[in-house]
Amino acid sequence: MTNEGPPADRSANDFNEAVRLHRLGRLDEAEPLYRAVLSRRPVDPDALLNLGLILKTRGQLENALGLWRTGFVNNPEREALPIASGKVLASLGRLGEALAAFDQALRIAPANFDALNCRGNVLARLGRPLEALASYDQALAAQPDYGLALINRGNVLGTLGRAEESVASYREGRRLNAATVETLGQLLHQQLQVCDWTDYDASRAVITQHIGEGRPADLPFSFLAHNDDPAAQLACAQIHAKGRFPARPAPLWRGEAYRHEKIRVAYVSADFYTHATAHLIAGLLERHDKARFEITAYALGPSIEDDKRRRIRAAVHEFHDVATLSDLEVARAIRAAEADIVVDLKGYTTHCRPGIFAHRPAPLQISYLGFPATMGADFMDYILADPHVIPAGSERFYSEQVIRLPNSYQVNDRTGEVEPPRLTRAEAGLPPGGFVFASFNANYKLTPHIYDVWMRLLRAVEGSVLWLLHTNDAVVRNLRAEALARGVSPDRLVFAPRAPIEAHLARHRLADLFVDTLPISAHTTASDALWAGLPLVTCAGRSFASRVAAGVLHAVGLPELVTESLEAYEALARDLATQPARLAELKARLAARIKGAPLFDTDLSRRHIEAAYTTAWERQQRGDPPAAFDIAP
């Protein structure tokens, strides 16, 4: 809001009074005074700017944009007008227009740190992180103590995999602007990316307290990594959804009855390329019953045209690359295609676009696969689950209605045989005869409490090692230091470099036992291990994210590898490591069951998922509201 005001005396008096009322939040009284100024000076830039801000507060975004366009056309020297426009355009997902607006402002005022920061945010959302980083650095050159730019810089450094720098940027940003929304959780998330557990328990306690008080302190996805309470996860998601969508847009689908020959299903994801989601779902898309279903894919980006994307493109009726479109434009496209069901494969994960679903483009909106928790948003009707990830009685922790598939909710796409290992144990840095515990989960899933268990296992099993992923040097350095602090030689940690999926699956056969993480368990990594013949021990927590591996193990017929406490988890892993005959028998049973297991039967999963879609669709066709149901085996 500007308080510069027009020069004419009467207009100046009206303007000054309007600004005073505006600051007090008395918008109904401020608005007519701004309009009075504009009746005498129709293109006054300050009155247009401030009146537009009031309209923005009321959700009248297009009217606000119109005022600011008028102001800028007649006052091309006022950079505040395109900055205001850019912020609204960005909130609407009109990223190309937003970027152009911020560039306009910067042509007028190249050192405007607000415009540079906002421009960085848009570039980050467009998948241009290096340009975003440069924009944040320019903002900080203009205003070195600009805490918000430091925090946004931390976000993009995390995206670039530069987690240590991200942590430093977050910490400095919080020092300068400690009240910034949700940054404590994001700082902790970046710390977890490098296994920096400094103040871990204190940070998670503060975050949990804030969430319990209805205050934002973390994002829904990163919250899962340190809090296993499904009630708290629901609260976190609801706080986020309310803050992200304070005023729900008018629904695009308004109850029209569709009568299509086939059920039209639209899958929406940013991961239609070589990614864990595509790795799981490609076979489902290929096997969908095309006589009963018309399948469309909407790709949000990044636009990576690789073999996996080409395979998915060939599997569906229509494939739309909508990465450059706004949320509203994508929603309109789905509505125009008259999708009966739209399936969100992202939730609140990287490159998610929940704003699309807030526009209600389809009669039924289902959350599936990408986000293992509730979205806390009333525009999502259903969540696909199974009896293990959402046990009976846990439905109250989900804003969606729960559809339980009979086996694992996780569809798989497994064909062919896992190759023999390309390396020997020695070449992989492993001891030829020692016991190898492995955990190839992402670094952010490792917590100090699960690491305590692993270190006790190493001390209990002579000559054993722990095999982990090498994602960055900081992880190696920090985990070795944490091992030493727990009385374990750092040499007993072995780090595997990134490898193509075929080689990665093959090297599982060099390990003896996969040890899982908590409170986020192995998901795709659990299926990878089992498909490669490597048994997995898990501890089932209370939340969806902590129980995925438990469901996976039930779906391959090995429920005895699911434990209910860390004490039982540790005891089972120790027993299997010290009882070779028991472990050998377990591996033999796993090998015998892999090919026929429901987990790896893509067509069986397809039939169950289609039954879920059909049942939900039939309810909607009858005019019944969404309601929870189970699919029979």
Side-chain angles (χ1 to χ4, degrees):
M1 181 172 66
T2 180
N3 61 357
E4 293 181 17
D9 288 344
R10 184 177 174 190
S11 292
N13 291 338
D14 284 345
F15 182 84
N16 292 336
E17 178 63 7
V19 169
R20 185 184 73 82
L21 295 167
H22 196 160
R23 286 176 171 167
L24 292 171
R26 293 159 61 179
L27 305 186
D28 289 342
E29 298 171 71
E31 180 180 348
L33 292 173
Y34 287 135
R35 293 192 184 279
V37 172
L38 290 169
S39 70
R40 295 186 289 272
R41 301 176 59 84
V43 295
D44 181 87
D46 302 303
L48 287 166
L49 176 64
N50 290 358
L51 178 58
L53 292 173
I54 289 177
L55 298 182
K56 174 188 172 185
T57 301
R58 292 177 175 155
Q60 299 174 35
L61 302 184
E62 291 298 335
N63 290 339
L65 289 170
L67 290 178
W68 296 332
R69 276 193 296 270
T70 298
F72 188 62
V73 166
N74 291 279
N75 304 274
E77 76 287 353
R78 300 300 294 271
E79 74 273 15
L81 292 159
I83 291 174
S85 295
K87 291 177 180 179
V88 167
L89 290 165
S91 75
L92 292 170
R94 293 157 62 177
L95 301 183
E97 295 173 76
L99 183 61
F102 294 130
D103 285 341
Q104 275 184 328
L106 290 167
R107 282 193 288 272
I108 302 163
N112 187 296
F113 56 87
D114 186 21
L116 286 163
N117 176 65
C118 292
R119 181 176 183 272
N121 292 343
V122 171
L123 288 166
R125 290 175 63 187
L126 287 169
R128 295 156 64 179
L130 291 173
E131 294 173 77
L133 182 61
S135 201
Y136 296 137
D137 286 341
Q138 289 175 283
L140 290 164
Q143 186 76 16
D145 61 352
Y146 189 23
L148 187 57
L150 281 161
I151 286 163
N152 290 331
R153 183 175 181 271
N155 286 336
V156 80
L157 285 166
T159 300
L160 290 166
R162 294 159 59 177
E164 271 195 304
E165 295 173 77
S166 173
V167 169
S169 194
Y170 263 115
R171 283 181 171 148
E172 180 63 9
R174 283 187 55 77
R175 186 186 70 79
L176 294 167
N177 190 3
T180 301
V181 169
E182 296 172 333
T183 56
L184 180 56
Q186 289 304 281
L187 169 59
L188 179 58
H189 188 64
Q190 292 305 323
Q191 287 180 249
L192 290 175
Q193 297 283 8
V194 292
C195 301
D196 172 0
W197 300 324
T198 308
D199 299 325
Y200 172 81
D201 286 322
S203 294
R204 62 192 292 267
V206 171
I207 293 167
T208 300
Q209 179 184 343
H210 282 206
I211 295 297
E213 295 168 352
R215 294 189 284 164
D218 203 349
L219 299 176
F221 178 73
S222 47
F223 190 65
L224 306 181
H226 60 83
N227 192 300
D228 188 37
D229 180 357
Q233 292 177 3
L234 172 60
C236 181
Q238 288 174 328
I239 292 166
H240 180 75
K242 183 178 178 181
R244 193 163 184 161
F245 307 106
R248 279 278 303 281
L252 296 180
W253 178 76
R254 298 182 176 89
E256 297 87 348
Y258 298 156
R259 295 291 185 264
H260 305 134
E261 290 184 9
K262 302 176 184 179
I263 299 175
R264 298 181 182 179
V265 180
Y267 287 94
V268 180
S269 180
D271 303 327
F272 292 135
Y273 63 99
T274 301
H275 181 280
T277 298
H279 182 53
L280 294 174
I281 207 167
L284 169 67
L285 298 178
E286 288 175 334
R287 288 172 172 79
H288 264 309
D289 184 350
K290 303 307 193 297
R292 297 172 52 226
F293 295 88
E294 184 177 291
I295 306 300
T296 304
Y298 291 85
L300 304 177
S303 299
I304 299 173
E305 194 67 29
D306 60 9
D307 287 344
K308 189 72 75 175
R309 192 180 188 91
R310 284 187 284 271
R311 182 181 168 194
I312 290 171
R313 187 190 297 276
V316 298
H317 178 70
E318 291 183 0
F319 185 98
H320 301 285
D321 188 335
V322 294
T324 61
L325 301 185
S326 70
D327 291 349
L328 179 57
E329 288 170 327
V330 178
R332 282 175 172 162
I334 295 170
R335 172 63 185 86
E338 294 191 351
D340 294 294
I341 299 171
V342 61
V343 182
D344 178 16
L345 296 173
K346 291 301 301 176
Y348 290 130
T349 58
T350 305
H351 301 304
C352 64
R353 300 273 295 277
I356 294 168
F357 309 98
H359 287 286
R360 176 57 74 173
L364 293 172
Q365 305 194 154
I366 298 177
S367 177
Y368 178 51
L369 198 62
F371 183 60
T374 182
M375 290 186 67
D378 60 5
F379 50 77
M380 297 307 296
D381 301 310
Y382 290 103
I383 182 171
L384 287 189
D386 62 50
H388 307 288
V389 294
I390 304 182
S394 298
E395 296 86 353
R396 66 188 185 278
F397 303 125
Y398 297 82
S399 59
E400 306 86 352
Q401 295 295 319
V402 176
I403 303 175
R404 287 191 187 86
L405 305 179
N407 300 305
S408 173
Y409 84 104
Q410 185 193 87
V411 66
N412 267 271
D413 176 34
R414 308 283 174 166
T415 56
E417 301 289 337
V418 176
E419 299 176 1
R422 301 178 184 182
L423 303 173
T424 64
R425 271 195 166 194
E427 289 170 335
L430 300 169
F435 193 90
V436 177
F437 295 102
S439 188
F440 295 137
N441 285 347
N443 300 132
Y444 71 87
K445 296 185 181 183
L446 277 62
T447 66
H449 306 299
I450 204 74
Y451 200 68
D452 289 340
V453 174
W454 291 351
M455 294 302 101
R456 289 196 294 270
L457 288 171
L458 290 184
R459 291 200 302 270
V461 182
E462 185 177 354
S464 62
V465 298
L466 177 62
W467 200 15
L468 304 164
L469 283 180
H470 185 307
T471 53
N472 58 70
D473 292 339
V475 167
V476 176
R477 184 172 64 251
N478 289 334
L479 287 181
R480 284 181 169 160
E482 293 287 348
L484 191 62
R486 289 163 174 79
V488 174
S489 170
D491 294 340
R492 295 179 70 181
L493 303 184
V494 181
F495 292 89
R498 292 286 188 186
I501 184 62
E502 295 81 6
H504 176 61
L505 287 173
R507 68 186 173 189
H508 279 74
R509 295 187 166 181
L510 300 176
D512 295 300
L513 184 66
F514 191 111
V515 283
D516 201 7
T517 47
L518 189 75
I520 301 185
S521 73
H523 293 187
T524 309
T525 43
S527 298
D528 285 346
L530 295 170
W531 181 248
L534 180 63
L536 175 146
V537 173
T538 191
C539 178
R542 293 181 290 164
S543 65
F544 189 134
S546 69
R547 300 180 63 84
V548 173
V552 163
L553 283 164
H554 276 85
V556 291
L558 295 174
E560 66 266 39
L561 295 181
V562 180
T563 64
E564 300 294 335
S565 70
L566 283 179
E567 293 77 16
Y569 164 89
E570 181 177 347
L572 179 57
R574 184 178 60 248
D575 289 349
L576 290 172
T578 55
Q579 298 173 21
R582 182 180 177 188
L583 182 61
E585 186 273 334
L586 193 64
K587 286 187 174 183
R589 276 197 290 132
L590 174 59
R593 292 177 178 178
I594 286 174
K595 292 298 177 66
L599 179 67
F600 298 121
D601 188 336
T602 308
D603 205 56
L604 179 64
S605 293
R606 186 267 305 171
R607 293 197 299 274
H608 291 152
I609 290 168
E610 288 182 352
Y613 293 166
T614 301
T615 303
W617 175 81
E618 287 173 345
R619 286 189 59 84
Q620 189 274 326
Q621 291 286 298
R622 292 194 303 267
D624 296 335
F629 59 88
D630 294 354
I631 297 299

